[in-house]
Amino acid sequence: MGTAPVVGGLVALGPLLAADGLGLGVAAVSEPGPEPAGPAEAAAAAAMPPRRRLEFLAGRRAARRALRAVGLDCGEIPRSGRLPVFPPGRTASISHSTGIAVAVAGAPGRDLPLGCDLELRPLPRAAARLVLREDEESLLPDAGLPPGADAGWSVTELFSAKESAWKALTVMTGEGREGPADSLRGLRVSPREDGEDGLRVCLRADPARAVWVRVVRVGAGAFSYVIGRAGACG
């Protein structure tokens, strides 16, 4: 699938996110004139290899578009370490995959965790052991059935959901971002029990810290984003 159809498909998700009080921004590294929005962005970009520089600038454009979608203006977005630094009252989550950047921003007054992830390269089933523990493997499709024959979640979708949740559940400390000690395996994913789309993801070490994550298939990959806090995992 080319870049344009993927970008178009992601942009079309804007109303879905808006219904959850979120703004969506999408940008491609191939867009003409990818200029930094200010001196801090320019300095950060100048220190990067060419491909990473384009991804970085695309991510900043996507974040500004996501913020504009919820009525917020934003100039340059500098960084602290690898983390974006937003002006007061503005925040967004940024993800990149195969030359496309996506960002999700919260509407003013929406005091809920943010996290999104884009995975356009599908992961093989063998990668499940790097993402899931035994109590999560039942979420995968039956290995003996052809693709699409049941309603299981792919490894890519579960990986993406955990990545989004990881961003939303981590906390900022004086030393930077602090997340699950066991990476994605330190999170537990389970299906919703209320009939709604999505997954519940919680910290295994603290099950009360949990979020709802919506996952949308994009070609052979997935786009996921956090839609709110959830009850503790059982």
Side-chain angles (χ1 to χ4, degrees):
M1 182 182 295
T3 298
V6 174
V7 169
L10 288 167
V11 169
L13 296 175
L16 180 64
L17 276 80
D20 292 316
L22 298 168
L24 174 68
V26 185
V29 300
S30 59
E31 293 178 21
E35 298 297 328
E41 282 188 15
M48 298 176 181
R51 182 68 180 181
R52 174 69 186 115
R53 182 183 308 129
L54 291 173
E55 291 177 345
F56 170 80
L57 294 174
R60 268 34 185 191
R61 292 197 303 278
R64 283 188 282 271
R65 290 168 184 173
L67 287 162
R68 284 199 296 270
V70 293
L72 297 172
D73 291 327
C74 185
E76 70 169 345
I77 304 168
R79 64 176 186 166
S80 175
R82 294 179 59 86
L83 301 177
V85 178
F86 293 94
R90 294 157 175 79
T91 186
S93 177
I94 304 170
S95 183
H96 313 84
S97 183
T98 65
I100 296 174
V102 65
V104 171
R110 185 185 188 274
D111 184 24
L112 290 173
L114 281 177
C116 74
D117 182 69
L118 180 64
E119 301 293 336
L120 297 177
R121 294 188 181 95
L123 297 172
R125 189 183 179 94
R129 62 185 178 84
L130 303 176
V131 181
L132 309 175
R133 295 193 183 185
E134 289 184 1
D135 60 357
E136 299 168 305
E137 291 180 358
S138 62
L139 293 170
L140 294 169
D142 189 319
L145 295 176
D150 68 359
W153 299 83
S154 71
V155 177
T156 307
E157 291 167 330
L158 296 174
F159 176 88
S160 184
K162 284 195 173 189
E163 280 281 339
S164 290
W166 192 91
K167 294 176 182 179
L169 292 170
T170 52
V171 296
M172 293 302 297
T173 70
E175 298 179 353
R177 176 177 283 169
E178 182 178 290
D182 192 25
S183 189
L184 295 187
R185 285 170 55 86
L187 298 170
R188 182 185 176 194
V189 60
S190 57
R192 295 189 65 150
E193 299 169 352
D194 55 9
E196 296 292 328
D197 292 337
L199 295 161
R200 178 199 283 116
V201 187
C202 70
L203 290 177
R204 289 182 180 273
D206 185 3
R209 290 177 61 192
V211 292
W212 296 123
V213 181
R214 179 170 288 135
V215 183
V216 181
R217 292 181 180 176
V218 181
F223 168 55
S224 65
Y225 57 96
V226 171
I227 58 177
R229 294 186 180 92
C233 293

